[in-house]
Amino acid sequence: MAVGRSAATKIDWTRITSSLGLKGSTATSLQAFKKRNDDARRKLALLQSQPTSVDFSKYRSTLNNTAVVDEIEGHFSRFKPATYDVGRQLKAIEAFEGQAVKSAEETKGRVDEEVRALEKTLGNIETARPFDELTVDEVAAAQPEIDKRTEQLVSKGRWQVPGYK
C-alpha cells in the first residue's frame, strides 16, 4: 500500500490534463476522480492522526464505578472490526478505468486525425504559389463556385459584387 500511496502523491493532475489536452467528459471524469482521491486522502490522514489506544486505568481512577469501566474494557478487547468485500468497488474502479482509457484513446485518435489534417493544410499553404501570381482561370479551376456565381451576376446585369463598393 505504501507504494500506491507514494505514487498517488506524485501525480501532477494539472499537467496530465494540459499535456494530454483532455476536454469534455474525460476531463470532467478525471477531475471528479481527483476530488474523490483528495477527499479519501484527507480523511485517511485525519483518521491516522487520531489516537487508537484507550487508557482504561485513567477512567478507573476517575470514575467511582469501576465495574462499568471493566465491562467496557471487556467489550473493547472482544471487539473485532468488520471486514468488507471490496471486490465490487474494485470492479467498479476497473470499469471506470477501462472507460477512461477507451475515452482517452478515442480522444487521441481524433486529435491525431486533426493533426494530420492540419499538417496537410500547412503543407498546402507552404507549397502554394503567392496569390498575386495566380491567374483568373486557376482560381476558377480551384473554386468552381466562384465562376458560377460570377456567371449568375453577369447574366442578371450586375457588374458589382454585393458588399463591395
Side-chain angles (χ1 to χ4, degrees), residues 6 84 102 106 113 135 140 149-150 162:
S6 66
Y84 293 99
K102 179 183 173 189
E106 289 173 0
E113 185 178 314
T135 65
R149 180 71 176 139
T150 305

Side-chain angles (χ1 to χ4, degrees), residues 2 35 96 104 136:
K35 183 182 181 308
F96 174 79
V136 173

Side-chain angles (χ1 to χ4, degrees), residues 27-69:
T28 304
S29 295
L30 185 64
Q31 288 171 347
F33 179 77
K34 178 192 178 300
K35 183 182 181 308
R36 287 193 311 271
N37 182 0
D38 290 343
D39 290 344
R41 193 175 307 135
R42 218 175 290 112
K43 188 172 183 179
L44 178 65
L46 177 70
L47 291 174
Q48 287 176 336
S49 68
Q50 294 177 351
T52 56
S53 62
V54 179
D55 185 12
F56 289 104
S57 60
K58 178 179 183 278
Y59 289 107
R60 278 192 190 90
S61 65
T62 305
L63 298 173
N64 293 334
N65 189 355
T66 59
V68 172
V69 177

Side-chain angles (χ1 to χ4, degrees), residues 93-114:
I93 291 170
E94 288 171 0
F96 174 79
E97 180 183 355
Q99 183 64 31
V101 167
K102 179 183 173 189
S103 180
E105 287 173 354
E106 289 173 0
T107 302
K108 181 184 179 298
R110 287 193 303 268
V111 167
D112 289 344
E113 185 178 314
E114 187 175 339

Side-chain angles (χ1 to χ4, degrees), residues 147-160:
D147 208 18
K148 289 178 186 174
R149 180 71 176 139
T150 305
E151 287 176 13
Q152 284 177 343
L153 290 173
V154 170
S155 69
K156 293 179 181 178
R158 296 186 186 152
W159 298 99
Q160 293 183 346

